[in-house]
Amino acid sequence: MCPRPSLKYDPSRPLSLAGRLAIGLIWLYRHSLSLVMGRGCRYAPTCSDYTEHAIRRFGFWAGGWIGLARILRCNPWGASGFDPVPEQLPENARWYLPWRYGRWTGRHIEEKYRLD
């Protein structure tokens, strides 16, 4: 049985090629499509910034799922407010159950930081 990777952020871990590519795509989005769509994000930090930080902190696979959950939450019926990248991965997250990485609702945002 393989040992479970650490749930904590390791700043010494280098970014994978997939992670660098994803961050490059985020950079392209910020400097092209985002300018056309406007900058009316419901959350702080913005979804693109949040996803970039999640990928840098947890790697492409886990960080990408965390970012996807945030992007899907960013809709007129979703929550809003201050929502930083989590400090560590959820205890029940596994690479083969990737949906467990994300926070799919806004219930985790404290009431004092909510804008809705």
Side-chain angles (χ1 to χ4, degrees):
M1 188 161 141
C2 296
R4 184 147 190 256
S6 173
L7 297 175
K8 296 217 182 243
Y9 170 53
D10 180 10
S12 66
R13 184 180 67 193
L15 201 55
S16 69
L17 179 61
R20 282 186 256 152
L21 182 63
I23 289 172
L25 290 173
I26 291 169
W27 184 90
L28 269 172
Y29 163 76
R30 284 183 185 155
H31 292 88
S32 60
L33 191 58
S34 176
L35 298 173
V36 175
M37 291 175 53
R39 300 200 177 243
C41 194
R42 300 175 53 81
Y43 291 101
T46 64
C47 294
S48 59
D49 194 39
Y50 182 93
T51 303
E52 178 182 347
H53 286 291
I55 291 171
R56 287 186 187 280
R57 179 171 287 174
F58 299 115
F60 174 71
W61 184 251
W65 280 94
I66 292 169
L68 176 65
R70 167 66 175 276
I71 290 166
L72 293 177
R73 271 191 283 135
C74 193
N75 63 65
W77 303 278
S80 61
F82 179 65
D83 179 26
V85 175
E87 292 295 320
Q88 63 183 29
L89 295 173
E91 291 291 328
N92 67 346
R94 302 288 186 272
W95 69 269
Y96 53 87
L97 301 170
W99 53 89
R100 290 186 179 174
Y101 289 121
R103 296 172 169 173
W104 300 94
T105 66
R107 286 179 274 164
H108 65 280
I109 301 173
E110 293 180 43
E111 209 46 53
K112 64 182 177 181
Y113 297 123
R114 292 179 75 100
L115 297 176
D116 51 21

